[in-house]
Amino acid sequence: MRSKKGVLVVLSGFSGAGKGTVMKRLLEKYDNYALSISATTRSPRPGEQEGVSYFYKSVEEFEQMIKEKRLLEYAKYVNNYYGTPKEYVISKLEEGKDVILEIELQGAMQIKDMLPDTVLVFVTPPSAEILKNRLIGRNTEDMETINKRLARASEEAEGMERYDYILINDELEECVDDLHGIIQAEHLNMKKNESFVSKIKDEVKVFAN
């Protein structure tokens, strides 16, 4: 009997590790997953939808959310706030959905502090050379930008040991299945099943009489 409450999973990893691709394929391949939707103060871009792409907030609304501790984590990038609304994530977990969130190390640690049951997964390619080749192969940035991303990867690697699991993205389908397996195993974690453990312990006591 697995835990009925959903599992919150934070995916982090190097730029070019394929986090977005893994998350997209996971949702296509398996049921019961929900992506966390971030709140932001930036304006919607063409094609983006409220409550689907982001929850769009004014600066005043966002800062009120910070004040009221309604965010699991937040940061400011290029004069705009971005954060993870606590209420949305908790509601999905209570529905039994496993919630996936892609975020960097700092935000991951903030969430882990607030919700200790959060599962932290670090996504990486099999080697640094493959990482570099993937960034080049995207053909979306010049070499100066790519080299900055690679330099940042060196910094990000220092925090890898703080994660619960390492996910090596070599073959996509295998990587997705591994992530799914990690999450399903978490439903059987002792800490997530304390009420059932207590129940079965009480039931088997009758056999001692």
Side-chain angles (χ1 to χ4, degrees):
M1 180 185 293
R2 53 173 256 165
S3 170
K4 292 181 180 179
K5 186 177 179 181
V7 173
L8 177 57
V9 182
V10 172
L11 283 190
S12 303
F14 308 124
S15 177
K19 301 181 293 296
T21 303
V22 170
M23 289 169 62
K24 181 181 177 183
R25 183 62 184 136
L26 181 74
L27 268 69
E28 291 172 346
K29 192 169 185 176
Y30 296 105
D31 295 328
N32 204 53
Y33 288 107
L35 284 181
S36 173
I37 300 173
S38 297
T40 183
T41 56
R42 79 159 171 78
S43 300
R45 293 171 182 163
E48 293 183 345
Q49 297 179 2
E50 166 69 21
V52 177
S53 307
Y54 286 96
F55 296 113
Y56 297 98
K57 305 291 182 183
S58 68
V59 172
E60 293 76 15
E61 288 173 329
F62 200 102
E63 290 179 344
Q64 187 65 25
M65 291 177 75
I66 295 172
K67 186 177 179 180
E68 294 174 357
K69 301 187 185 301
R70 290 164 52 203
L71 295 165
L72 290 175
E73 57 78 34
Y74 71 92
K76 198 170 187 178
Y77 298 106
V78 196
N79 298 322
N80 283 306
Y81 283 115
Y82 294 84
T84 304
K86 187 176 181 179
E87 183 179 355
Y88 178 82
V89 170
I90 298 299
S91 67
K92 290 298 179 184
L93 293 174
E94 293 296 337
E95 287 174 18
K97 292 283 187 181
D98 296 324
V99 180
I100 314 294
L101 172 63
E102 179 187 340
I103 205 161
E104 294 184 351
L105 174 68
Q106 183 180 356
M109 295 306 132
Q110 287 180 38
I111 292 176
K112 187 77 168 181
D113 287 342
M114 190 174 292
L115 298 174
D117 284 346
T118 301
V119 179
L120 304 183
V121 181
F122 194 94
V123 184
T124 177
S127 70
E129 189 64 26
I130 290 174
L131 176 64
K132 182 177 180 179
N133 290 339
R134 285 182 183 175
L135 287 170
I136 294 171
R138 294 197 302 199
N139 291 319
T140 57
E141 297 169 327
D142 58 29
M143 279 308 301
E144 182 181 356
T145 303
I146 288 172
N147 286 331
K148 286 180 180 179
R149 290 193 182 278
L150 292 171
R152 182 169 174 77
S154 176
E155 297 172 8
E156 292 169 334
E158 294 302 314
M160 289 175 69
E161 289 87 354
R162 300 174 71 180
Y163 284 73
D164 301 308
Y165 296 93
I166 184 80
L167 190 66
I168 301 172
N169 185 13
D170 187 5
E171 297 294 332
L172 177 61
E173 293 301 317
E174 183 178 336
C175 180
V176 169
D177 290 343
D178 285 345
L179 178 57
H180 179 68
I182 288 169
I183 297 165
Q184 296 314 300
E186 282 295 319
H187 280 281
L188 303 176
N189 187 300
M190 279 290 185
K191 290 183 179 179
K192 291 182 172 66
N193 290 276
E194 288 176 345
S195 60
F196 176 77
V197 171
S198 178
K199 170 181 170 291
I200 201 72
K201 284 174 70 176
D202 286 342
E203 288 177 354
V204 298
K205 282 179 182 177
V206 300
F207 301 134
N209 297 332

